[in-house]
Structures are given as C-alpha cells and as structure tokens.
Amino acid sequence: KQEVTQIPAALSVPEGENLVLNCSFTDSAIYNLQWFRQDPGKGLTSLLLIQSSQREQTSGRLNASLDKSSGRSTLYIAASQPGDSATYLCAVRPAAAGNKLTFGGGTRVLVKP
Amino acid sequence: EAGVAQSPRYKIIEKRQSVAFWCNPISGHATLYWYQQILGQGPKLLIQFQNNGVVDDSQLPKDRFSAERLKGVDSTLKIQPAKLEDSAVYLCASSLGNRDSTTEAFFGQGTRLTVV
C-alpha cells in the first residue's frame, strides 16, 4: 500500500528566503507525482505534475524534483513572498490497478513579511 | 476553460440527517473523484469513476455513503444518515483519463460539511 509523508507539517520563514518542501513515498512504482497548493477554506490548485520519466519540472519561481528510486520529491519556491503562505500537498499516482491518487498530509507554510 | 464546479459550498446539518453534494467535472474528463478532507489532514479518496463505472470505492463507507455518476458527466455524493465524524471538506476532482500523462487532476472548491 502506497504511503506518502510530508515533513515538516508546518514551516515559517521570513520573506525572501527560499522554501524547501519535502515529500516521500514508499512505493517507487508510480505514473507521476503532483504538487498542489491549498489556501484556507479553498480547494486544491495544481502547481506542477512530474511524470515518472522526468527528474524535474519548473514553473516560474517553483521547481519540483523527483527521485523515484529513493521515493522522494522536493518542491523549491525561490524568494518566498507572503502570498506563498498556504498548505502544500504532494500526491502520487501509483502504477498499479486502480492507480488512485494518494496524498501526503501537507506542509503548512507561513511567509512572514 | 471552466473548472470543476461543486455545490453547495457550505452545509450544516444535524447528525442522522441526510445530505447530498453535486459535482460537474471539466468537460471531456472521463475520470471523476470524490475525496474527503478532514481538518489538518490530506485528502482521502472515497470513490473514483471512469465514465459512469466505479473504478475504486474501497474507502467509501457504504453503509451510509453512496455516489453515482449518471451518463458519465455530473456526479452526486450522498450521506445518509450523517455522523459527527463526517464533518469535513468534500472535494471533487476530474482528470482526462486515469493513465500516464492524462492523469493530472483538477479540483473543485469543495463543500465544507459541518455535522452538529
């Protein structure tokens, strides 16, 4: 059974500092991994999707890496801003029957001005 | 392109009452998901549809929860009777397919259910 873990559960940084968010998963047989952002009381916004054959994906200040063999992904957010404050969730799509998207518990980020 | 639509946004009911949520996925998306997100946790899959067939409902409490996707488009999720522990945000998502590069999931705003 696939398990996804995100550590730390919460993170507070001063504005301008780079953010590093970690995601680990137990089964390396995956189709892809997706990073989401969730603002309080809102749904999930897709940030980046990395296919199993890719090592990283970039979008603006966001960069996500994937090391499938070690079961890890890292989301980097450069030059953080107060508007980046949110909960960040990673989810993996196992390459197995049913392949349901499995989420980690999320990392709650606060960027202080 | 319109996103995933959900209604209502908020619902407060008493325990043992029934409630229904509605979801309209992105046009053309064959796969539809219902997730339950309890405060402070990641979303947990309740049921996954491929067109109007169920792919996975292993974590759906079938004694009280039911879901349908008639005609392979809109979907409804029902809880009857509700319990206090059902208080959560119910998220609907859709994706083009359920394999490989078609699996990017897009989520609606969710329905926040409070059972009192």
Side-chain angles (χ1 to χ4, degrees):
Chain A
K1 177 187 169 186
Q2 178 74 265
E3 291 184 4
V4 183
T5 304
Q6 291 184 251
I7 296 173
L11 186 60
S12 180
V13 299
E15 182 178 2
E17 193 166 297
N18 296 333
L19 281 164
V20 180
L21 307 177
N22 299 304
C23 172
S24 61
F25 47 96
T26 55
D27 187 344
S28 61
I30 63 171
Y31 273 139
N32 55 49
L33 182 146
Q34 199 167 352
W35 281 95
F36 296 89
R37 169 185 171 137
Q38 186 174 34
D39 293 288
K42 304 283 189 181
L44 277 63
T45 301
S46 180
L47 297 174
L48 291 166
L49 180 144
I50 312 176
Q51 301 294 351
S52 62
S53 58
Q54 297 176 313
R55 294 295 297 231
E56 66 177 340
Q57 275 281 5
T58 299
S59 176
R61 294 184 296 111
L62 276 58
N63 174 277
S65 65
L66 175 65
D67 184 342
K68 208 173 60 165
S69 60
S70 67
R72 294 179 188 277
S73 177
T74 303
L75 178 67
Y76 300 90
I77 304 177
S80 62
Q81 305 167 358
D84 294 328
S85 298
T87 296
Y88 292 83
L89 295 146
C90 72
V92 298
R93 175 87 60 178
N99 53 38
K100 63 185 181 186
L101 198 61
T102 304
F103 282 84
T107 296
R108 191 171 64 254
V109 171
L110 175 64
V111 180
K112 294 180 287 188
Chain B
E1 178 183 86
V4 176
Q6 288 189 248
S7 68
R9 286 296 315 278
Y10 306 94
K11 191 75 178 178
I12 301 174
I13 61 171
E14 295 181 351
K15 60 183 179 183
R16 292 188 288 276
Q17 284 187 324
S18 63
V19 64
F21 313 127
W22 173 83
C23 173
N24 181 239
I26 292 173
S27 177
H29 279 196
T31 308
L32 185 147
Y33 318 79
W34 282 102
Y35 282 84
Q36 179 193 59
Q37 186 178 25
I38 293 171
L39 189 65
Q41 299 181 16
K44 181 186 81 172
L45 180 71
L46 293 175
I47 190 166
Q48 177 178 334
F49 291 95
Q50 181 68 17
N51 296 308
N52 60 353
V54 175
V55 173
D56 187 331
D57 63 357
S58 57
Q59 297 191 94
L60 186 74
K62 299 181 186 63
D63 58 333
R64 297 183 301 106
F65 286 64
S66 64
E68 60 181 8
R69 190 183 184 197
L70 298 176
K71 300 180 182 177
V73 182
D74 292 4
S75 176
T76 55
L77 176 70
K78 297 179 182 177
I79 307 175
Q80 182 180 12
K83 292 185 176 181
L84 296 177
E85 59 260 37
D86 297 332
S87 295
V89 176
Y90 291 84
L91 296 162
C92 179
S94 69
S95 62
L96 198 59
N98 66 348
R99 291 195 175 277
D100 300 328
S101 62
T102 67
T103 63
E104 184 171 8
F106 298 88
F107 282 75
Q109 290 292 295
T111 296
R112 180 176 296 279
L113 173 68
T114 302
V115 183
V116 297

